[in-house]
Amino acid sequence: MSKKLWGGRFKKKIDKDFEEFSKSIQYDFKLARVDVFHSIIHTRALSGSGLLNKKETKTIINALNEIIKEIDSGSFKPDLSSEDIHTDIHNRLEKKIGRLSAKVHTLRSRNDQIVFNEKFYCLNEALNIKDLLGDVLNSFFVLMKKYDKQPFIGYTHTQRAQVILFNDYLCAFGHMLVRDSNRIKKFYDSVIPYIGAGALAGTSLHRKEYFKAIDDFLSFVKSKPGKIKSVESSIDSVSDRDFLIEFLSIISIIQMHLSRLAEDIILYSTQEFDYLDLPEEFCTGSSLMPHKKNPDFPELVRGYTGRIYGNQVSLMTTMKGLPMTYNRDMQLDKEPLFSSVEIIQDELKIMAKFIKGIKLNKKVIAEALLDERLYATELTEFLVFKGIAFKDAHDIVGKLIRYAEDNKTAIKQMPDKALKKFCAKLNSSDVAKVMHAEHAITSKKSIKKRVPKPDA
Ligand code: ARG
């Protein structure tokens, strides 16, 4: 077992099973790089306050930078016998600089480190998710271009409703993704990693030393990681996991959108609908039935909704009723966080490729578009523009549809005489024009046909 960051007051050794049970290194090793950032800022604050001399500061900072290089090159392997990543980085530092490492944790607590690390992690991953949402959006644009002007069948209650453009259908998902992207952006702007909370009560280092240390640190990092500030309420800072719950909520909403997209894809690619042909590279076969081409990717996306919603509920339940301030319960925030972030990124990455590969079965769609019920609303509107009250027009067309259904005929096949029994304003040439995909689409004037640009 590796060395711990505590132990002086204990006479007995920790129980082995409990020690295993309490460790977080097996998942919080992901925070290694950010944990070193915290150490660099903290070391500079200690130095500015006179608690480390110039030589000591240089030795520590150089060693910390070496650790970052090891992390970046992949040669850093966490010692899985460490209690957590903070302990592990500390032990690594001790290996490099010996006793001097004991000064780095001066006036510092893991309670402050962990929340700083998690906020940094969220900032980075929020940007990644925003980029991936952009990729999926671009794939929708590719499909839109390919099927520009293609009419499609619009549903309500999973029943045929009205004719729409396939592009307008895709555009709806575009709007969802843009809202997701803007939610992520707002979240990114709102997260502030603080430093200097100590265990809960703050530290005796002056705020301005922390600010100086932060500025110093920021001047060395290439990509700007958002804002870092000297802590305001130290008690709130170490207690706060709102940002994680917010992030998981945003991810849940993205997931909800993806699950609806997945469900439509699954439905529309069934033999019953047969509107879509799915890219084979993302489907699988059956070990028994030779003919099967199963939509496993969208099925897994739909299925992961359980995991992602579960992660959010798990964290909210962990946080419920926790006494102020830090409690060890909060260690359990990381697995749901990492799980949701990883799943959503995988899904978006694959979705961007998958969408581009979808093909429309134009023949099947053309046949479905012959269904006259899809134009009942347009025919009603036609009568309204001829001066008939909407409710009366609704009734006339309802009866006409019912008559055609009962007599197994098509309204478009009915002669003027038969049509006029329902309404004097009807005639077969108007009916033919109105009950047509082109009319259904061009008559819609209320839609602005574009996907807004996501906030930069
Ligand atoms: N591994 C801990 C966590 O993730 C770090 C903070 C531990 N703090 C403490 N006082 N034991 O929450």
Side-chain angles (χ1 to χ4, degrees):
M1 273 297 154
S2 85
K3 272 180 143 180
K4 295 200 176 2
L5 291 174
W6 49 270
R9 61 99 66 215
F10 288 86
K11 279 201 194 130
K12 289 191 178 167
K13 275 186 110 179
I14 190 166
D15 176 89
K16 286 277 162 250
D17 292 331
F18 167 58
E19 185 172 35
E20 271 308 309
F21 180 72
S22 64
K23 273 171 19 186
S24 55
I25 185 71
Q26 64 279 22
Y27 45 83
D28 68 12
F29 70 88
K30 290 195 174 72
L31 302 171
R33 193 168 199 274
V34 185
D35 198 70
V36 182
F37 287 173
H38 190 284
S39 293
I40 293 177
I41 301 174
H42 187 69
T43 301
R44 290 189 187 283
L46 290 174
S47 172
S49 313
L51 288 169
L52 291 171
N53 65 34
K54 269 209 170 121
K55 195 169 158 238
E56 289 172 329
T57 307
K58 202 169 162 215
T59 310
I60 295 169
I61 300 278
N62 284 346
L64 289 170
N65 280 328
E66 270 176 37
I67 297 178
I68 290 193
K69 277 201 194 111
E70 289 168 15
I71 294 169
D72 290 347
S73 72
S75 67
F76 174 90
K77 297 275 176 289
D79 175 356
L80 292 179
S81 70
S82 300
E83 183 180 337
D84 54 30
I85 189 60
H86 323 296
T87 311
D88 197 45
I89 297 284
H90 181 89
N91 292 343
R92 181 69 54 115
L93 192 63
E94 188 176 357
K95 276 203 190 103
K96 287 185 182 293
I97 59 172
R99 288 294 304 148
L100 177 57
S101 64
K103 289 194 174 182
V104 176
H105 211 63
T106 310
L107 304 175
R108 183 166 77 155
S109 163
R110 288 179 288 171
N111 302 355
D112 186 38
Q113 276 173 278
I114 190 62
V115 66
F116 175 92
N117 293 1
E118 289 182 317
K119 282 184 173 173
F120 238 106
Y121 171 85
C122 289
L123 285 170
N124 280 330
E125 299 310 328
L127 288 184
N128 289 338
I129 292 174
K130 196 170 182 317
D131 283 350
L132 290 167
L133 284 167
D135 293 344
V136 179
L137 202 55
N138 284 336
S139 296
F140 272 107
F141 291 144
V142 170
L143 214 56
M144 280 173 163
K145 211 163 159 200
K146 184 164 167 197
Y147 293 111
D148 188 30
K149 308 253 171 14
Q150 168 67 46
F152 197 57
I153 299 91
Y155 290 82
T156 65
H157 310 263
T158 332
Q159 301 287 320
R160 285 183 182 172
Q162 282 183 282
V163 173
I164 54 176
L165 272 180
F166 187 56
N167 260 358
D168 290 340
Y169 169 76
L170 298 177
C171 192
F173 285 106
H175 275 257
M176 288 178 181
L177 294 173
V178 169
R179 284 200 298 278
D180 291 333
S181 176
N182 292 347
R183 258 188 285 270
I184 289 271
K185 167 76 170 88
K186 262 200 190 148
F187 168 74
Y188 180 88
D189 289 340
S190 73
V191 174
I192 303 172
Y194 289 118
I195 192 152
L200 79 161
T203 78
S204 52
L205 304 187
H206 200 279
R207 285 176 65 69
K208 71 173 196 275
E209 292 304 340
Y210 283 113
F211 270 118
K212 269 213 317 245
I214 292 164
D215 282 349
D216 243 26
F217 165 75
L218 289 179
S219 64
F220 282 106
V221 289
K222 271 187 243 110
S223 57
K224 289 286 163 264
K227 334 160 193 64
I228 306 172
K229 283 192 177 169
S230 175
V231 74
E232 288 167 12
S233 165
S234 55
I235 293 178
D236 176 53
S237 184
V238 297
S239 313
D240 173 26
R241 295 294 182 271
D242 296 3
F243 63 101
L244 294 184
I245 293 173
E246 219 178 313
F247 198 26
L248 289 182
S249 311
I250 295 170
I251 294 175
S252 290
I253 297 176
I254 301 175
Q255 176 63 26
M256 180 263 290
H257 291 154
L258 293 184
S259 78
R260 296 185 72 174
L261 172 64
E263 173 60 17
D264 268 11
I265 290 170
I266 295 164
L267 197 65
Y268 292 167
S269 65
T270 56
Q271 280 76 52
E272 283 67 22
F273 277 80
D274 203 22
Y275 297 157
L276 305 183
D277 189 21
L278 305 184
E280 217 170 85
E281 320 84 276
F282 302 94
C283 296
T284 69
S286 155
S287 60
L288 196 151
M289 299 168 283
H291 67 286
K292 292 300 287 293
K293 176 185 161 192
N294 293 326
D296 294 41
F297 171 59
E299 284 179 314
L300 284 168
V301 169
R302 187 176 59 183
Y304 266 124
T305 313
R307 191 79 58 83
I308 285 188
Y309 286 5
N311 287 336
Q312 185 188 344
V313 173
S314 153
L315 182 58
M316 292 205 294
T317 314
T318 298
M319 293 306 292
K320 180 205 168 278
L322 277 191
M324 291 290 241
T325 56
Y326 176 84
N327 300 272
R328 192 64 181 266
D329 316 43
M330 288 153 83
Q331 174 166 296
L332 306 181
D333 58 1
K334 278 167 277 302
E335 283 167 298
L337 169 69
F338 296 157
S339 156
S340 286
V341 165
E342 281 159 25
I343 294 167
I344 206 77
Q345 294 192 4
D346 285 346
E347 287 177 345
L348 290 170
K349 195 165 95 196
I350 303 168
M351 190 62 88
K353 296 191 271 182
F354 181 85
I355 294 287
K356 274 193 241 171
I358 290 178
K359 289 200 185 85
L360 284 190
N361 289 335
K362 288 192 180 181
K363 246 177 84 184
V364 177
I365 292 167
E367 235 165 77
L369 287 170
L370 296 177
D371 182 347
E372 292 191 326
R373 286 167 299 190
L374 284 168
Y375 307 96
T377 311
E378 279 66 27
L379 192 59
T380 307
E381 215 174 278
F382 166 79
L383 290 178
V384 166
F385 281 106
K386 291 271 172 209
I388 297 176
F390 178 77
K391 256 182 117 330
D392 297 337
H394 190 285
D395 208 49
I396 291 165
V397 176
K399 289 200 167 90
L400 197 53
I401 294 278
R402 184 62 200 249
Y403 172 86
E405 268 179 17
D406 287 349
N407 293 280
K408 308 239 170 318
T409 185
I411 300 171
K412 279 194 202 167
Q413 302 300 320
M414 288 167 69
D416 282 359
K417 208 173 132 204
L419 288 170
K420 287 194 189 296
K421 277 194 191 141
F422 290 87
C423 176
K425 311 255 179 194
L426 287 172
N427 65 66
S428 55
S429 89
D430 282 343
V431 164
K433 241 186 278 159
V434 170
M435 299 190 89
H436 193 274
E438 171 122 2
H439 170 80
I441 286 158
T442 53
S443 64
K444 303 298 177 300
K445 305 276 195 305
S446 68
I447 323 167
K448 185 167 181 174
K449 291 182 181 289
R450 75 177 182 94
V451 178
K453 261 199 160 27
D455 296 342

